[in-house]
């Protein structure tokens, strides 16, 4: 289902033009308007889902094969040196558009971007506490 108020629904379904680099029946991959690096691409499902939690399993199962295809295209045509896949869920995690999307961010030696986290140093007890909540 599309959501009338969702800009990525409109882009994914071709109602708003975009710089499409890949399209199939279920997905559209577009150039990001505020790219972190040259070729920064967003993979959008055509069906509306706010985030990973809402994404239907069958759509989730197809996202990575599409990402692999588009990543290969970006590497081949743009000659990037690396590739980050980023997917934000919730404002705390940096999600600004509430329609699931996967970022493909080509990386170039010396591009000045940083998509890394600061490692922390939890104790064994703290790690065990997290582990017991999850197992
Ligand atoms: P988020 O922060 O939600 O993970 O990422 C949203 C991304 O969408 C940002 O990188 C932003 O530059 C991009 N974006 C927002 N609006 C548009 C738009 O209308 N068209 C395109 N191509 N990208 C957009
Ligand atoms: Zn949507």
């Amino acid at each position: 289902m599309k959501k009338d108020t969702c800009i990525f629904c409109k882009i994914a379904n071709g109602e708003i033009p975009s710089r499409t680099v890949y399209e199939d029946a279920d997905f559209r991959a577009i150039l990001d308007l505020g790219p972190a690096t040259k070729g920064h691409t967003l993979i959008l499902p055509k069906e509306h889902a706010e985030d990973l939690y809402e994404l239907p399993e069958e759509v989730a199962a197809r996202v990575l094969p599409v990402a692999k295809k588009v990543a290969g295209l970006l590497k081949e045509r743009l000659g990037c040196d690396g590739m980050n896949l980023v997917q934000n869920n919730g404002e705390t995690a940096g999600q600004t558009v509430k329609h699931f999307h996967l970022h493909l961010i080509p990386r170039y030696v010396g591009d000045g971007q940083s998509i890394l986290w600061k490692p922390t140093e939890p104790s064994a007890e703290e790690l065990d506490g997290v582990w017991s909540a999850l197992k």
Side-chain angles (χ1 to χ4, degrees), residues 3 6 8-9 48 99:
K3 188 172 166 185
C6 174
F8 277 9
C9 276
H48 182 82
H99 174 123

Side-chain angles (χ1 to χ4, degrees), residues 7-8 11 18-19 30-35 40 42 86-88 94-98 101 103:
I7 183 158
F8 277 9
I11 292 174
S18 62
R19 293 179 177 84
I30 61 168
L31 291 184
D32 195 299
L33 283 184
H40 182 164
L42 304 173
V86 176
Q87 203 276 306
N88 301 324
Q95 184 179 14
T96 57
V97 181
K98 300 292 178 64
H101 51 281
H103 295 259

